[in-house]
Amino acid sequence: MSRCRRRVNSTLSIRRARPWAQRRGLSAQWGRIVAGMEGDVNFVDARATIDTGFAPTPADTQLQSAVNWNSHLRGRIGYAFDRTLLFAAGGLAVAGAESKAFDNGIGAVASWSDTRIGWSIGAGGEFRFAPQASVRLEYLYDNYGSKTLAAQTVGATTFGARESRLDTHTVRAGVYWRF
């Protein structure tokens, strides 16, 4: 019996984002230096599908990676001037991931899902436009590493084991209210 392993690198693109996210945090300021911790939970629908078949019909087999939700617990440090804060942040990233393999020729689908744990790093800026309100723009890179997706048999079709690497790039903006 031979085993075939495929390494799949996916760049996820957001097809649509659900409008629900929750963020909590605390910060302290010493002169112009601001430091703190923050955590968030986000419900997203990010997917990437790649063709894994051979010519002349590469779309006969496909692999899809998806992130349905993610969460972060990060430290943040920044430099404040006037009403603007430029910051860098990094820490723990956790995501609800799902992978699917499709054999479109016969309609077979294999599915894997799990919670992936990795790390996050990012940077951004925040502008306080009122005493308790600010707008924020940031970039996040989340790396969840590689995982072997076990072989599955669906009907008469066997999907071989494959290596799946998951990382995401996110740009997000928001309006924040401080209590």
Side-chain angles (χ1 to χ4, degrees):
M1 182 167 130
S2 67
R3 291 182 72 137
C4 175
R5 285 195 163 187
R6 287 191 177 171
R7 183 174 179 95
V8 178
N9 292 315
S10 296
T11 299
L12 296 181
S13 60
I14 295 178
R15 186 178 67 182
R16 67 184 162 145
R18 295 183 183 148
W20 194 89
Q22 183 71 37
R23 176 170 302 158
R24 298 273 190 239
L26 60 100
S27 295
Q29 186 167 355
W30 301 272
R32 294 192 178 273
I33 303 298
V34 177
M37 293 290 294
E38 61 186 23
D40 60 57
V41 176
N42 307 281
F43 290 94
V44 295
D45 188 6
R47 309 187 173 277
T49 303
I50 59 170
D51 296 335
T52 57
F54 299 103
T57 54
D60 276 354
T61 59
Q62 296 176 314
L63 183 66
Q64 181 182 84
S65 297
V67 173
N68 299 315
W69 62 268
N70 68 12
S71 184
H72 303 92
L73 181 60
R74 308 180 306 158
R76 180 172 85 151
I77 189 161
Y79 183 80
F81 55 95
D82 195 25
R83 295 183 298 175
T84 302
L85 172 68
L86 299 178
F87 64 89
L92 177 70
V94 181
E98 185 176 71
S99 297
K100 291 182 181 177
F102 301 94
D103 184 332
N104 295 319
I106 60 171
V109 178
S111 182
W112 301 264
S113 63
D114 66 343
T115 300
R116 303 280 293 263
I117 298 174
W119 54 270
S120 177
I121 192 165
E126 192 165 342
F127 177 75
R128 186 173 285 202
F129 63 88
Q132 292 182 302
S134 64
V135 292
R136 179 173 172 169
L137 178 67
E138 69 180 315
Y139 165 79
L140 293 172
Y141 171 72
D142 296 335
N143 184 310
Y144 300 100
S146 294
K147 179 177 182 157
T148 300
L149 304 177
Q152 284 190 27
T153 301
V154 178
T157 303
T158 298
F159 293 92
R162 56 193 75 222
E163 192 75 15
S164 175
R165 177 177 169 78
L166 179 62
D167 57 353
T168 62
H169 299 268
T170 306
V171 175
R172 62 184 180 186
V175 177
Y176 298 91
W177 185 263
R178 287 172 184 70
F179 295 98

